[in-house]
Amino acid sequence: MSMFRLPSQNLKSRSKKPIARIAVLCSGGDAPGMNAAIRAVVRTAVANNLEVFGISRGYAGLLEGKLAPMNASSVANIIQRGGTVLKTSRCPEFFHRTGRAQAAKVLKAHKIDTLVVIGGDGSFAGAHLLSKEFGINCIGLPGTIDNDIFGSDDTIGFDTSVNTALEAIDRIRDTASSHDRLFIVEVMGKHAGFIALQVGICGGAETILIPEYKVPFGSICKSIDRGIKRGKLSSIIVVAEGYRGGNATEIAKQFEKKGYSAKVAILGHIQRGGAPSAHDRFLASTLGAYSVHAAIHGLKNVIVGLENNQIVFVPFTKVISKKKTITKQYLEISAELAV
Ligand code: ADP
């Protein structure tokens, strides 16, 4: 694991804005490392003499005024824990202006200068509207296992999730090879194939199926047949849950129709849980710390992300209007590795 380069944008050259209070929440799907991010935000705020409030259950808790002061001790012993001590939620009211008006009212009543939102692009879309409509300053931290945030090469939780899925695949490989079986392993990723791609390459999958590219079923069969021809008796296909050619169960049925026998393993929510990896703790700790420094130096409505191993600040407008693309060459590499 390498250290990140710090922002080229010299924060110290910006005049400090006298902010006194920040608040932090988690929103959307939970991801391992969110706790390390909360800890970093709280501790950096305390170290810089700011008051810091934790908001429970994301935007839903914010609407209900669920803010509580936090201090250095409130985040003791959480860096290694999965999930989020603040809890997270999806909040339908936030899609409406009236809901966001209520959120702004609560934040203004508590004199919050900057709201730090740990979540995915949906959460940032909400934060963007909150700032645009009601002048609330927000900073985003990319927290999602899917790694599908434009403007950041990496997201808090992705590495842990990949490692968790990989551990499961290694176990499946043991049983697959003992019984000469074809296994179809479904991993998370409704709209993005980053998890499937990394898990597939690291787990030595024969074929990787991701939402971004549909593969003709005939070519999937060909890759399995090629393996069988050279004496390979067991194979693993990794499929993202959002693959447009069907989920793991549907693909297994297609195989059965062609006379192959295929077993299915759906990894599901185990990919969300567990202690964050060293990589995710480091990412969460550094980006979390920089979210507070960004706020102190007057930055707003940006996410703190990672680009080419350097910490960067990317405007919400850019993050929510663009889609992060997957590099297709990785699929080609994986096909060659499985030859
Ligand atoms: P993620 O942040 O992980 O992408 P979601 O897309 O579920 O997760 O978004 C989390 C929450 O953010 C939603 O429940 C909603 O409260 C808020 N949100 C998402 N998209 C928008 C939007 N376009 N406008 C306003 N709020 C939004």
Side-chain angles (χ1 to χ4, degrees), residues 3 45 48 92 124 156 176 202 326 335:
M3 299 278 193
N48 287 275
F124 301 150
I156 297 161
C202 300
I326 212 147

Side-chain angles (χ1 to χ4, degrees), residues 27-29 59 89-96 100 119-127 129 143-144:
S27 170
Y59 293 135
S89 72
R90 297 205 157 83
C91 172
E93 291 94 329
F94 218 73
F95 285 95
H96 305 288
R100 296 189 294 272
D121 52 1
S123 304
F124 301 150
L129 289 175
T144 163

